[in-house]
Amino acid sequence: MLRFYFLKAMEKEDPEHVKFMKMAIALSIKNVQKNIGGPFGAVVVRNGKVIARSANKVATTNDPTAHAEILAIRFASKKIGNFDLSDCVIYTSCEPCPMCLGAIYWSRISKIYYANTKHDAAEIGFDDKFIYDELDLPVEKRKLPVVQLLRDEAIQSFKQWQKSDLRIEY
Amino acid sequence: MLRFYFLKAMEKEDPEHVKFMKMAIALSIKNVQKNIGGPFGAVVVRNGKVIARSANKVATTNDPTAHAEILAIRFASKKIGNFDLSDCVIYTSCEPCPMCLGAIYWSRISKIYYANTKHDAAEIGFDDKFIYDELDLPVEKRKLPVVQLLRDEAIQSFKQWQKSDLRIEY
């Protein structure tokens, strides 16, 4: 156990991790100073090299999904021509929100390095914690109403997917 | 309570909801038949009119974030020139994964209609349920390793954000 904490402490001071995290933080600071978007930056690294980076661009692109991590993942996938980023890691200036965490799982990124926490984000008015809290509730207790309909009809697409020889699994 | 269930049952049979959900289902089926992507479709509706629609395009665009709901939200926001979709509802052929659910919260969409469940999706090999399970675990028990570093440095961007008069809140 002691060895585990020692290795973890070593990792936090590893110059390479510090370098990439400083890049993500610099993106977050520049984004505020230039009034582009929220104080968030992310960098995707593959084999020790930065392959994509972005800051948050929600307000300037009118895209609610344009968080730093989502954009960095989209740029990284485009760059390597693959939706599978399992040989990549991500450095993000803030603990990912549920949307970005979901995107990280779908991309199969193998490790997350983050700096600010979701509680820090909540303190300056971002909804990350609210969304985490909502996801923890059973659907019927959430603030966002959800209604199911036509499942018998929709399941046909899943049946066709299973039968298709052409499908690309992801 | 009885009135609640009665209204909910009525809503499920409302021709308008049925019409929009059938559109989302048709997108999901066409996507499999044309071998474009996974069996998922979504439609964003505002004041009774479809303003955006999409199927899943992960495999064909090499973008792990290109789920039907994410794309429909991005198109809808672009169309109305606003990242706030609080006057919109979404019809999706499958219960949203955590990434898409997060995007729906960020977009402030006011209601979700869905057909297939996350369990249906898990049965045909999609990871939605795995990601939901991961999010339910404390960070240190998740399969995806997460390391925090340089928080003292990163918090500066949050402090600058709070001081900025130019910030656009979202």
Side-chain angles (χ1 to χ4, degrees), chain A residues 105, chain B residues 98 118-119 122 127-138 141-143:
Chain A
Y105 276 104
Chain B
K118 59 184 173 187
H119 304 288
D127 280 342
D128 304 43
K129 199 178 162 301
F130 166 71
I131 303 176
Y132 272 107
D133 290 345
E134 280 279 286
L135 263 65
D136 276 346
L137 295 172
K141 292 203 170 168
R142 291 184 192 156
K143 292 210 167 54

Coordinates of all heavy atoms in Angstrom, one line a residue, chain A residues 105, chain B residues 98 118-119 122 127-138 141-143:
Chain A
Y105 N -14.8 7.6 -22.0 CA -15.0 6.2 -22.1 C -15.3 5.7 -23.5 O -14.7 4.7 -23.9 CB -16.2 5.8 -21.2 CG -15.9 5.6 -19.7 CD1 -16.2 6.6 -18.8 CD2 -15.2 4.5 -19.3 CE1 -15.8 6.4 -17.4 CE2 -14.8 4.3 -17.9 CZ -15.1 5.3 -17.0 OH -14.8 5.1 -15.7
Chain B
P98 N -24.6 8.2 -20.8 CA -24.2 9.3 -19.9 C -23.6 10.5 -20.7 O -23.9 11.6 -20.3 CB -23.1 8.7 -19.0 CG -23.4 7.2 -19.0 CD -23.9 6.9 -20.4
K118 N -31.3 1.4 -22.0 CA -29.9 1.1 -21.9 C -29.6 -0.4 -21.8 O -28.5 -0.9 -22.2 CB -29.2 1.9 -20.8 CG -29.8 1.6 -19.4 CD -29.1 2.5 -18.4 CE -29.8 2.4 -17.0 NZ -29.4 3.3 -16.0
H119 N -30.5 -1.1 -21.2 CA -30.4 -2.6 -21.1 C -30.5 -3.3 -22.5 O -29.7 -4.2 -22.8 CB -31.4 -3.2 -20.1 CG -31.3 -2.5 -18.8 ND1 -30.3 -2.7 -17.9 CD2 -32.1 -1.6 -18.2 CE1 -30.5 -2.0 -16.8 NE2 -31.6 -1.3 -17.0
A122 N -27.2 -2.6 -24.1 CA -26.1 -3.5 -23.6 C -26.2 -4.9 -24.2 O -25.2 -5.5 -24.5 CB -26.3 -3.6 -22.1
D127 N -21.8 -0.1 -24.9 CA -21.2 0.0 -23.5 C -22.0 0.9 -22.6 O -21.5 1.2 -21.5 CB -19.8 0.6 -23.6 CG -18.8 -0.5 -24.0 OD1 -19.1 -1.7 -23.8 OD2 -17.7 -0.2 -24.4
D128 N -23.1 1.4 -23.0 CA -23.9 2.4 -22.1 C -23.9 1.9 -20.7 O -23.6 2.7 -19.8 CB -25.3 2.5 -22.6 CG -25.4 2.9 -24.1 OD1 -24.7 2.4 -24.9 OD2 -26.2 3.8 -24.4
K129 N -24.3 0.7 -20.5 CA -24.5 0.2 -19.1 C -23.2 0.2 -18.3 O -23.1 0.6 -17.2 CB -25.2 -1.1 -19.0 CG -25.9 -1.4 -17.7 CD -26.6 -2.7 -17.6 CE -26.8 -3.0 -16.1 NZ -25.6 -3.2 -15.4
F130 N -22.1 -0.2 -19.0 CA -20.8 -0.3 -18.4 C -20.4 1.2 -17.9 O -19.9 1.3 -16.8 CB -19.7 -0.8 -19.4 CG -18.3 -0.5 -18.9 CD1 -17.8 -1.2 -17.9 CD2 -17.6 0.4 -19.6 CE1 -16.5 -1.0 -17.4 CE2 -16.3 0.7 -19.2 CZ -15.7 0.0 -18.1
I131 N -20.7 2.2 -18.8 CA -20.3 3.5 -18.4 C -21.2 4.0 -17.2 O -20.7 4.6 -16.3 CB -20.4 4.5 -19.6 CG1 -19.5 4.0 -20.7 CG2 -20.0 5.9 -19.2 CD1 -19.6 4.8 -22.0
Y132 N -22.5 3.7 -17.3 CA -23.4 4.1 -16.1 C -22.8 3.4 -14.9 O -22.8 4.1 -13.8 CB -24.8 3.6 -16.4 CG -25.7 4.6 -17.1 CD1 -26.0 4.5 -18.4 CD2 -26.1 5.8 -16.5 CE1 -26.8 5.4 -19.1 CE2 -26.9 6.7 -17.1 CZ -27.2 6.6 -18.4 OH -28.0 7.5 -19.1
D133 N -22.4 2.1 -15.0 CA -21.9 1.4 -13.8 C -20.7 2.1 -13.2 O -20.5 2.3 -12.0 CB -21.7 0.0 -14.1 CG -23.0 -0.8 -14.3 OD1 -24.1 -0.3 -13.9 OD2 -22.9 -1.9 -14.9
E134 N -19.8 2.5 -14.2 CA -18.5 3.1 -13.8 C -18.8 4.4 -13.0 O -18.2 4.7 -12.0 CB -17.7 3.4 -15.0 CG -16.9 2.2 -15.6 CD -15.6 2.0 -14.8 OE1 -14.6 2.8 -15.0 OE2 -15.5 1.0 -14.0
L135 N -19.7 5.2 -13.6 CA -20.0 6.5 -13.0 C -20.6 6.4 -11.6 O -20.5 7.3 -10.7 CB -21.0 7.3 -13.9 CG -20.3 8.3 -14.8 CD1 -19.4 7.7 -15.8 CD2 -21.3 9.3 -15.4
D136 N -21.3 5.2 -11.3 CA -21.8 5.0 -10.0 C -20.8 4.6 -9.0 O -21.1 4.7 -7.8 CB -22.8 3.8 -10.1 CG -24.2 4.2 -10.5 OD1 -24.4 5.5 -10.5 OD2 -25.0 3.4 -10.9
L137 N -19.6 4.3 -9.4 CA -18.5 3.9 -8.5 C -17.7 5.1 -8.0 O -17.6 6.1 -8.8 CB -17.5 2.9 -9.2 CG -18.1 1.5 -9.5 CD1 -17.1 0.8 -10.4 CD2 -18.4 0.7 -8.3
P138 N -17.2 5.1 -6.8 CA -16.2 6.1 -6.5 C -15.0 6.1 -7.4 O -14.7 5.0 -7.9 CB -15.8 5.8 -5.0 CG -16.4 4.5 -4.7 CD -17.3 4.1 -5.8
K141 N -12.4 3.4 -7.5 CA -12.8 2.0 -7.8 C -13.1 1.8 -9.2 O -13.5 0.7 -9.7 CB -14.0 1.6 -6.9 CG -13.7 1.5 -5.4 CD -14.7 0.7 -4.7 CE -14.2 0.4 -3.3 NZ -15.1 -0.2 -2.4
R142 N -13.0 2.8 -10.0 CA -13.3 2.7 -11.5 C -12.2 2.0 -12.2 O -11.1 2.0 -11.8 CB -13.6 4.0 -12.1 CG -14.9 4.7 -11.6 CD -15.1 6.0 -12.3 NE -16.2 6.7 -11.6 CZ -16.4 8.1 -11.7 NH1 -15.5 8.8 -12.4 NH2 -17.3 8.6 -11.0
K143 N -12.6 1.4 -13.4 CA -11.6 0.7 -14.2 C -10.6 1.7 -14.8 O -9.5 1.4 -15.1 CB -12.2 -0.1 -15.3 CG -13.0 -1.3 -14.7 CD -13.0 -2.5 -15.6 CE -13.5 -3.8 -14.9 NZ -14.8 -3.6 -14.2

